[in-house]
Each structure stands twice: as C-alpha cells, then as structure tokens.
Amino acid sequence: MAAQRCLSPFTGVMVLAVALALGGCTGVSMPSFPSFGGGGEQPPPPPAAETVPSRYTPEELVGRWGFTSYHRDQDRTRTEAAARGQCKNPYVIARGPNGGIMMHLADQRQPTELRLKGSASGKQYIGPVGDSGMAEDREIVSFDGRILITRFVDPDAGNRYGNMIYVRCTARA
C-alpha cells in the first residue's frame, strides 16, 4: 500500500498566495523605501547641536589659584579666605594642547583638557568636548576675573564636592 499525502484546502491557498507573490503579481504595489546601501543616496545628517561660545576665554582662567569648596552659602566668605591661604600650594590651571584648559574631572587624579562652553540659556560650563551641561561638566556659578565658583552638573558629584571656589593667587604667593 502506498502512503498517500493529503493537502488541506488551507495549505493549497497558502501555496497559491506565495506563488503569486513570488511570481511578481503586478496588481499589488509595495511601498518603496530609500536605499542607503550602495545606491549613492546618503541618510540625512543628524541635526547639529547648537554651539554657543562661552563668554569666557581660556586665558582668563589660566593661572595659579587657591582652591577649596563649601556646601552652605553662609560659608562662602570664610571659604574665600581659606582659598587665599591655599596659594602657598596653588591649583594650577594650564593651557591645554588643543586650545582648552587643563583641569580635573570629578574623581580623576590626572587633569584633562576641558573646554569652556556656553549655552542657549546663558549658563556657562567647563567640561569635556560635547554638549553644554553634560554630567561631566561643571557650571560656572560666578566669575569676576578674581574669584571663580563652579559646581558639578552631576548631582552626585555636586553633592560630594559642593561649590568649588578658586581665588586667583597674586604674583608673589
């Protein structure tokens, strides 16, 4: 006795549908999608982030600074005096090899070249190359040429380090 195979009517309809689809039925049109492979077309570029220059220049920050930090606003005056006392062992902000300034990122032993960055909101930042206000940035809270106060954007680093105050050292400190 020979084994007999039986196809259900549903299977037959499916086979017919697949055959028509593969056969190039002209009654059905498929949407066309742009080709980004080798067809010469390129995907549209991502929108460029708005770059706002800083109102400060690296030259304004390069130098020797007394450095300390505070957490409470009522401690600012006392902390400024303490920072002046640190000029015996100053924190040095140097010019970076690519036009930035050399400072430390949060929790880093070695200084890194950072950029001065502006923002559309008017806030000013010091941080690595990238958008203004990144977690690694520090916001310039105030700067009058003699006293620089910054705070890390990252909430954890901001809570640990507080407001960092830099007081410019005089030439003979």
Side-chain angles (χ1 to χ4, degrees):
M1 230 191 205
Q4 187 176 6
R5 288 195 165 190
C6 214
L7 294 177
S8 73
F10 177 73
T11 306
V13 170
M14 289 301 295
V15 169
L16 181 62
V18 169
L20 287 174
L22 294 176
C25 176
T26 60
V28 178
S29 67
M30 298 297 290
S32 63
F33 297 101
S35 167
F36 296 124
E41 295 179 41
Q42 296 296 318
E50 183 179 340
T51 324
V52 178
S54 176
R55 74 179 82 143
Y56 306 114
T57 64
E59 289 74 25
E60 291 177 274
L61 296 178
V62 168
R64 298 165 7 108
W65 299 85
F67 169 72
T68 191
S69 68
Y70 65 95
H71 286 84
R72 300 177 317 163
D73 286 335
Q74 61 260 36
D75 295 335
R76 178 180 169 173
T77 304
R78 178 183 57 77
T79 307
E80 277 183 35
R84 273 188 206 88
Q86 295 298 315
C87 283
K88 296 175 194 123
N89 186 24
Y91 181 87
V92 176
I93 298 176
R95 183 76 172 183
N98 298 305
I101 56 175
M102 300 299 291
M103 292 182 77
H104 293 83
L105 292 171
D107 306 320
Q108 298 296 314
R109 283 184 175 258
Q110 296 299 317
T112 303
E113 185 167 9
L114 305 177
R115 301 281 180 219
L116 296 169
K117 306 185 258 186
S119 70
S121 69
K123 291 183 177 183
Q124 303 295 303
Y125 298 93
I126 301 170
V129 172
D131 293 336
S132 297
M134 298 184 328
E136 298 86 1
D137 287 353
R138 64 188 88 193
E139 180 184 349
I140 298 175
V141 176
S142 70
F143 181 55
D144 65 5
R146 190 178 61 82
I147 297 174
L148 169 68
I149 300 175
T150 67
R151 182 169 183 85
F152 281 106
V153 170
D154 175 64
D156 181 55
N159 288 332
R160 284 184 286 124
Y161 290 98
N163 295 298
M164 296 167 288
I165 188 164
Y166 302 80
V167 176
R168 189 174 296 280
C169 298
T170 60
R172 298 207 61 167

